[in-house]
């Protein structure tokens, strides 16, 4: 496949948010409508191929990429949010980040039993966040049919945390 338009737009920001972290800034991709459209189209094609009946976006950049994917498929969008942001009855899962720890939550009525869910985020690093989102989906009785992201930091071996789940990363670093 030809190189993605987004590839050359991702900006490396050293030592953010902590020393030693090379942050992958996707804001230039969002500024380029053609590059963003290409990313959304590819993730939507993958989610459609996996039979997704709902798209789960991980806060917050997973929302940006996940909502247009859900609209493209004509399926519900579900938010996996950081601790304390969701107003209604919810379930929680703790996870370890590349930097620090965090908790992700989902409304307890966000998915139905047996529903096929496709999870979207901007980047897969250690896989802790994605694995927590998988646990939330499965606790609601739904099925994870795939995880899609723009960037995978493959040297962090995040896939090890998601064994058995189909992972699509448009750009592997
Ligand atoms: P992880 O749980 O380690 O896979 O981390 C993935 C989450 O943290 C995603 O939501 C990313 O947006 C964010 N993240 C982790 N590492 C980076 C990085 N180097 N650059 C940008 N975002 C990152």
């Amino acid at each position: 496949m030809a190189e993605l338009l987004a590839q050359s737009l991702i900006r490396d920001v050293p030592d953010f948010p902590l020393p030693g972290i090379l942050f992958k800034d996707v804001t230039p991709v969002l500024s380029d409508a053609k590059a963003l459209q290409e990313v959304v189209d590819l993730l939507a094609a993958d989610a459609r191929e996996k039979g997704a009946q709902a798209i789960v976006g991980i806060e917050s950049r997973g929302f940006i990429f996940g909502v247009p994917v859900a609209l493209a498929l004509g399926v519900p969008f579900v938010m996996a949010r950081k601790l304390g942001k969701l107003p209604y009855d919810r379930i929680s899962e703790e996870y370890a980040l590349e930097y620090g720890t965090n908790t992700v939550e989902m409304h307890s009525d966000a998915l139905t039993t047996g529903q096929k869910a496709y999870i979207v985020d901007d980047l897969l690093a250690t896989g802790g966040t994605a694995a927590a989102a998988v646990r939330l989906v499965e606790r609601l009785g739904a099925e994870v049919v795939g995880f899609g992201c723009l960037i995978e930091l493959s040297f962090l071996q995040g896939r090890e945390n998601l064994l058995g789940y189909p992972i699509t990363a448009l750009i592997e670093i």
Side-chain angles (χ1 to χ4, degrees), residues 12 19 21 41 54 95 100 139 142 150:
D12 286 350
I21 302 291
D41 288 349
Y95 63 95
R139 279 174 63 189
L150 173 56

Side-chain angles (χ1 to χ4, degrees), residues 28-173:
V29 178
L30 308 181
S31 299
D32 185 315
K34 273 193 183 156
L36 179 58
Q37 185 72 58
E38 188 181 35
V39 169
V40 170
D41 288 349
L42 288 168
L43 291 177
D46 186 53
R48 191 178 287 114
E49 196 251 318
K50 303 258 166 33
Q53 296 168 326
I55 303 297
V56 174
I58 301 176
E59 185 171 358
S60 56
R61 289 176 298 265
F63 296 172
I64 297 169
F65 296 107
V67 166
V69 170
L71 289 173
L73 270 66
V75 300
F77 177 76
V78 172
M79 293 191 285
R81 293 211 69 177
K82 305 273 168 63
L83 182 67
K85 301 285 187 184
L86 284 173
Y88 186 65
D89 187 42
R90 59 203 168 267
I91 57 169
S92 308
E93 284 287 339
E94 212 179 55
Y95 63 95
L97 266 182
E98 193 184 352
Y99 35 87
T101 63
N102 220 330
T103 298
V104 71
E105 299 189 317
M106 203 179 275
H107 274 156
S108 49
D109 65 353
L111 293 164
T112 55
T113 305
Q115 199 172 11
K116 295 179 190 298
Y118 182 92
I119 303 172
V120 173
D121 204 355
D122 66 326
L123 182 143
L124 178 67
T126 65
T129 315
V134 166
R135 294 197 297 276
L136 288 174
V137 169
E138 292 183 342
R139 279 174 63 189
L140 295 181
E143 181 193 349
V144 176
V145 292
F147 172 85
C149 61
L150 173 56
I151 307 160
E152 176 182 0
L153 302 182
S154 49
F155 59 92
L156 291 172
Q157 298 177 324
R159 282 175 189 254
E160 299 287 314
N161 271 323
L162 296 164
L163 290 177
Y165 299 96
I167 297 167
T168 299
L170 303 184
I171 298 167
E172 288 182 35
I173 294 168

Side-chain angles (χ1 to χ4, degrees), residues 13-32:
V13 182
D15 300 320
F16 182 88
L18 293 172
I21 302 291
L22 184 63
F23 194 86
K24 298 288 177 185
D25 177 18
V26 298
T27 59
V29 178
L30 308 181
S31 299
D32 185 315

